[in-house]
């Protein structure tokens, strides 16, 4: 009778095991990349929402009669933000200080909507993805990033939009928590890193373009 020999059976099992191992290994990396892409899309959509709200004159709360405020997103990697800094970002409305900056509460984790608070919501990043770096795109097109060392480096970036201009207003705070300027800058970058080390970058230009 024809049939499989023991050697043929062992080879078949080995091939199946090898193919399965490759698929399982690549599935983990694939899921990691997809998760990072989704996280970047979430941040991009939140920035788009701030742009739409700021340009379309959205009322702060129903019957509040509070219009004409800038809406924005704040990303903070300074020590003040604690562990929330690399793992979350804040959606805010510039209704108290009106200076194109997020008026931070005593604790970064505090987010009370209304009153003297400018916070709308704290958004945690999914699946242990983190914000690994913040950069300024200078007037020459080169990047100045937080990870490059001390000095005039962006430790926090507040991005906001106010009608009638759809362009982005970008405010920079250095690692010493002092506001700094980069005359003629072209935009900013938010760099994301996944648990497996994959990276994704969100670019927001001063023109309002998001890439």
């Amino acid at each position: 009778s024809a049939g499989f020999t023991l050697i043929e059976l062992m080879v078949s099992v080995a091939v199946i095991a090898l193919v399965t191992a490759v698929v399982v290994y690549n599935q983990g990396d694939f899921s990691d990349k997809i998760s990072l892409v989704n996280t970047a899309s979430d941040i991009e959509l939140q920035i788009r929402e701030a742009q739409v709200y700021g340009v379309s004159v959205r009322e702060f709360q129903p019957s509040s009669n509070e219009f004409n405020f800038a809406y924005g997103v704040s990303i903070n990697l300074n020590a003040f933000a604690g562990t929330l800094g690399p793992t979350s970002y804040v959606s805010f409305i510039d209704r108290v200080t009106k200076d194109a900056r997020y008026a931070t509460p005593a604790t970064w984790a505090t987010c009370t909507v209304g009153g003297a608070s400018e916070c709308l919501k704290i958004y945690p990043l999914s699946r242990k993805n983190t914000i690994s770096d913040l950069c300024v795109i200078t007037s020459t097109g080169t990047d100045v990033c937080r990870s490059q060392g001390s000095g005039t480096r962006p430790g926090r970036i507040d991005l906001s939009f106010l009608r009638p201009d759809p362009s982005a207003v970008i405010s920079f705070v250095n690692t010493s928590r002092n506001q700094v300027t980069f005359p003629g800058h072209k935009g900013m970058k938010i760099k994301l890193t996944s648990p497996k080390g994959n990276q994704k970058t969100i670019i927001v230009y001063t023109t309002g373009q998001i890439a």
Side-chain angles (χ1 to χ4, degrees):
S1 303
F4 284 106
T5 66
L6 180 60
I7 294 178
E8 290 173 333
L9 181 62
M10 291 176 64
V11 170
S12 299
V13 170
V15 170
I16 293 173
L18 179 61
V19 171
T20 302
V22 170
V23 169
V24 170
Y25 177 81
N26 288 333
Q27 177 63 33
D29 190 56
F30 176 75
S31 298
D32 184 80
K33 291 179 180 178
I34 291 298
S35 171
L36 185 62
V37 170
N38 290 339
T39 299
S41 296
D42 289 342
I43 298 177
E44 178 192 1
L45 287 174
Q46 194 56 50
I47 295 174
R48 288 287 187 194
E49 181 179 276
Q51 187 179 37
V52 171
Y53 284 174
V55 174
S56 63
V57 196
R58 182 177 188 267
E59 187 177 17
F60 169 50
Q61 289 180 331
S63 303
S64 65
N65 291 321
E66 293 185 275
F67 300 92
N68 299 328
F69 293 131
Y71 285 81
V73 172
S74 180
I75 303 100
N76 191 355
L77 294 185
N78 285 337
F80 169 71
T83 56
L84 279 178
T87 60
S88 65
Y89 56 97
V90 173
S91 171
F92 72 95
I93 175 173
D94 189 23
R95 59 185 289 268
V96 179
T97 56
K98 299 180 182 178
D99 57 358
R101 296 176 60 190
Y102 172 46
T104 56
T107 305
W108 187 260
T110 302
C111 183
T112 303
V113 180
S117 172
E118 292 189 343
C119 184
L120 293 176
K121 188 175 181 179
I122 297 177
Y123 293 88
L125 271 61
S126 62
R127 296 185 61 114
K128 297 183 179 181
N129 294 308
T130 58
I131 300 171
S132 55
D133 207 0
L134 295 174
C135 302
V136 183
I137 306 175
T138 64
S139 57
T140 60
T142 57
D143 294 346
V144 175
C145 301
R146 182 182 185 276
S147 60
Q148 293 174 343
S150 59
T152 308
R153 308 292 178 188
R156 166 186 155 189
I157 297 180
D158 294 349
L159 169 72
S160 61
F161 301 89
L162 179 64
R163 72 156 188 163
D165 193 351
S167 61
V169 179
I170 307 175
S171 175
F172 303 100
V173 177
N174 64 14
T175 54
S176 300
R177 296 181 61 184
N178 297 317
Q179 188 172 10
V180 292
T181 59
F182 297 87
H185 70 271
K186 297 181 179 180
M188 57 168 282
K189 290 184 179 180
I190 306 169
K191 294 187 177 182
L192 306 174
T193 301
S194 72
K196 287 184 174 290
N198 292 306
Q199 294 186 329
K200 199 78 174 175
T201 300
I202 302 169
I203 306 172
V204 183
Y205 295 98
T206 53
T207 58
Q209 178 187 355
I210 305 172

